[in-house]
Amino acid sequence: MASHTTMPRRSLLTGSAAALAGVGLATWGRGAHAQAAAAKPLPAAVSWKNPADVIVHSASTVETKRSAFGTGAITPSNQLYLRNNLPTPDASIVADRDAWEVNVTGVKNPRKLTLRELKAMGLETVTMVLQCSGNGRAFFPSKPSGTQWTVGAAGCVVWSGVPMRAVVEALGGVVEGMRYMTSTGGEKLPDGIDPKSIIVERSVAAAARQDAMLAWEMNGEPIPLAHGGPLRMIVPGFQGVNNIKYVKQVAFTENESDAKIMSHGYRLAPLGGKGDPSMPSVQEMGVKSWINSPLPEDGTLTAGGVVQIFGVAFGGVHAVKGVEVSIDGGKTWQQARFIGPDLGKYAWRQFALAARLPAGNHMLVSRATDTAGNTQPEARVENLRGYNNTSWADHAVTVTVA
């Protein structure tokens, strides 16, 4: 792990020493540089998002600005990050949403079900953190390839749909010996290419069906096309790649999918290595938190005094039990308080701590603990692609008060 001197305090805004003498300054490392440099137009598929609240990395990757999270418990759809492995399908697939079909196999009575039929089978709502497994990749000193996300490849989202356990029950139950639930996306694949080399197909433990959902609404509205509408597999507590968009098949299988995105992609490969099926797969999320304020985007902070330090915390498959905050880079810790509603164990909790920040540099850090007793670690787990970064040290931010 990098020492504290390699964390955000080492990189202040360009020219800060001369230009910002005598004023308050909030800086937070290369994340600020990435956000300041972002000037790309919104991709057509998400032209409805608020350009002031996001960073456009590419046509398929859009990040929420740290400052845009605010104090609301739910991430608005027009601020939510975007990460697609394949191009967004044609809008014709949402022209008649209820006609969309999903094929369910590995159950005693396999069949295709339309979205209209699914709506008659059950209805639940779950609030959960949706997070790209590469969130926090920008903090890896190894500079992994891929989008250089800081904290904005995550959001807290409300999904509505039919629970998979209800679908399974209606179809006679899972066939004995089927250890995995494998979901396949319905994106159109290029001709002349082995489908398994590019198709979005992921397997999770079959037991995940207990809380999984075939969702058709996001934040109270039909799921936008770019976010997986008309139908998306939702697996609460798991990294985003396992929440398959445009889901066309759900198969209970004896073995994991042999699609490349499963067998070799999203594996925790060592530095200098390559992903393969023997390596851990990106699946459940770990306990994590970060601070969102006081860090205004313009880099200025009012004079020192008592401030409200606040951020978000979540526990993956467990609820968050508590959050501690440090204003001295992790040397000492104070218990923060939760603010806002408790929306269930898969949602994030907002936390706040009132602290006095006199003139000088202050490294603000948070660390969360879940109900299973897991505490957010200080160090990241080094890996080739920069996945699963839950390090509280990496997510530290520096505030300088003049």
Side-chain angles (χ1 to χ4, degrees), residues 129-153:
V129 174
L130 182 69
Q131 177 183 232
C132 176
S133 54
N135 200 30
R137 176 182 289 135
F139 303 130
F140 278 75
S142 58
K143 301 188 183 303
S145 62
T147 303
Q148 296 302 295
W149 309 109
T150 55
V151 300

Side-chain angles (χ1 to χ4, degrees), residues 158-176:
V158 181
W159 303 97
S160 295
V162 59
M164 270 306 301
R165 63 181 182 276
V167 176
V168 167
E169 182 180 356
L171 299 183
V174 174
V175 173
E176 187 176 351

Side-chain angles (χ1 to χ4, degrees), residues 338-361:
F338 287 134
I339 60 173
D342 181 351
L343 298 176
K345 71 176 185 177
Y346 295 121
W348 65 27
R349 296 300 308 271
Q350 301 157 285
F351 63 86
L353 175 74
R356 182 174 297 277
L357 298 181
N361 297 331

Side-chain angles (χ1 to χ4, degrees), residues 18 42 57 91 264 278 303 325 340 352:
L42 282 164
H57 292 287
H264 291 74
S278 70
V325 170

